[in-house]
Amino acid sequence: MLRGACLALFMLLTACGFALRGVTPMPFERLYVGIPDTTQFGADVRRALRAASPDTKLVDTPKEAQAILQQVNDSRTLREVSLNAQGRVESYELGINYTFRLIDAQGRALVPDTTLSIYREMPYDDQVVQAKQGQIDTLFKAMQRDLVSRVLRRITAPDVHKAFEAAQEGDDENTPLFNPNEPQRPRVPTPWQTPSVTDPTNVR
């Protein structure tokens, strides 16, 4: 009976246009990812891309690629958002601002410069600084996992397929051009360096 009920529910959802979330293949066969694979973020992006589009090969150089994922900017922020009566911080706002673009081999933009921002608020107790610093690091890692999902959804969107097809057909005279061999820009702060609450230069 349980199997029958599950089957009936699945058929009902299918009839309503529901589809299980699965592979979303990209329109190109070779992709270069301009994010260091020595970072957790870079490794997670590559893992997500392989899972979403297994027929797309991740190549080692831009010259081999049909499309190039370029990292434009990556920054983390740590901001005081509330103080108690004694002037001590009660909560911080953590932020990640990430800008990227997706171009074809000729430098034509498939996804123009796009900034994704993620913010989380965290209560803070200055009596347990070491424990809270570890919590900040954990929260930033969770935010980066969310960022990976958002980047993936953007570069596998239907308009990317259309942009790539238009580029292949030469129907993109007004598309911005970028340097496909642009060197990797340094991340700010350096990869996995979490802003410290004990360093006033990190706190806004």
Side-chain angles (χ1 to χ4, degrees), residues 156-204:
T156 58
D159 65 305
V160 176
H161 289 247
K162 294 179 181 178
F164 184 70
E165 291 172 0
Q168 299 304 296
E169 295 172 0
D171 299 333
D172 57 345
E173 290 83 359
N174 297 320
T175 301
L177 293 178
F178 299 92
N179 178 9
N181 298 306
E182 179 178 316
Q184 173 63 46
R185 298 184 183 184
R187 298 178 63 188
V188 181
T190 54
W192 290 104
Q193 178 184 327
T194 301
S196 172
V197 294
T198 60
D199 185 349
T201 61
N202 291 326
V203 182
R204 297 182 180 181

Side-chain angles (χ1 to χ4, degrees), residues 33-176:
V33 179
I35 305 171
D37 57 6
T38 54
T39 66
Q40 185 64 48
F41 179 66
D44 288 346
V45 167
R46 286 169 172 79
R47 187 178 302 111
L49 290 170
R50 291 188 180 100
S53 189
D55 292 332
T56 299
K57 181 181 179 182
L58 303 186
V59 296
D60 296 328
T61 66
K63 293 182 179 180
E64 303 173 74
Q66 292 177 303
I68 301 163
L69 177 60
Q70 292 183 329
Q71 179 172 274
V72 179
N73 188 49
D74 182 9
S75 64
R76 298 184 183 190
T77 59
L78 187 64
R79 186 173 68 91
E80 299 173 352
V81 292
S82 65
L83 305 175
N84 61 19
Q86 290 74 41
R88 293 179 176 177
V89 179
E90 285 189 328
S91 62
Y92 282 101
E93 179 190 75
L94 286 64
I96 294 180
N97 295 290
Y98 186 78
T99 303
F100 68 98
R101 71 172 72 102
L102 183 69
I103 62 176
D104 71 2
Q106 285 70 47
R108 294 170 291 204
L110 305 177
V111 176
D113 286 19
T114 300
T115 299
L116 301 177
S117 298
I118 301 176
Y119 296 97
R120 298 286 187 275
E121 190 169 325
M122 187 197 77
Y124 181 74
D125 183 352
D126 61 6
Q127 301 301 312
V128 284
V129 174
Q130 187 172 358
K132 286 298 182 180
Q133 187 62 46
Q135 185 179 348
I136 289 173
D137 184 66
T138 299
L139 190 52
F140 266 121
K141 289 179 181 179
M143 293 164 67
Q144 285 206 162
R145 288 193 293 271
D146 186 20
L147 181 63
V148 170
S149 298
R150 294 178 62 182
V151 170
L152 182 66
R153 286 197 299 270
R154 182 64 191 94
I155 66 176
T156 58
D159 65 305
V160 176
H161 289 247
K162 294 179 181 178
F164 184 70
E165 291 172 0
Q168 299 304 296
E169 295 172 0
D171 299 333
D172 57 345
E173 290 83 359
N174 297 320
T175 301

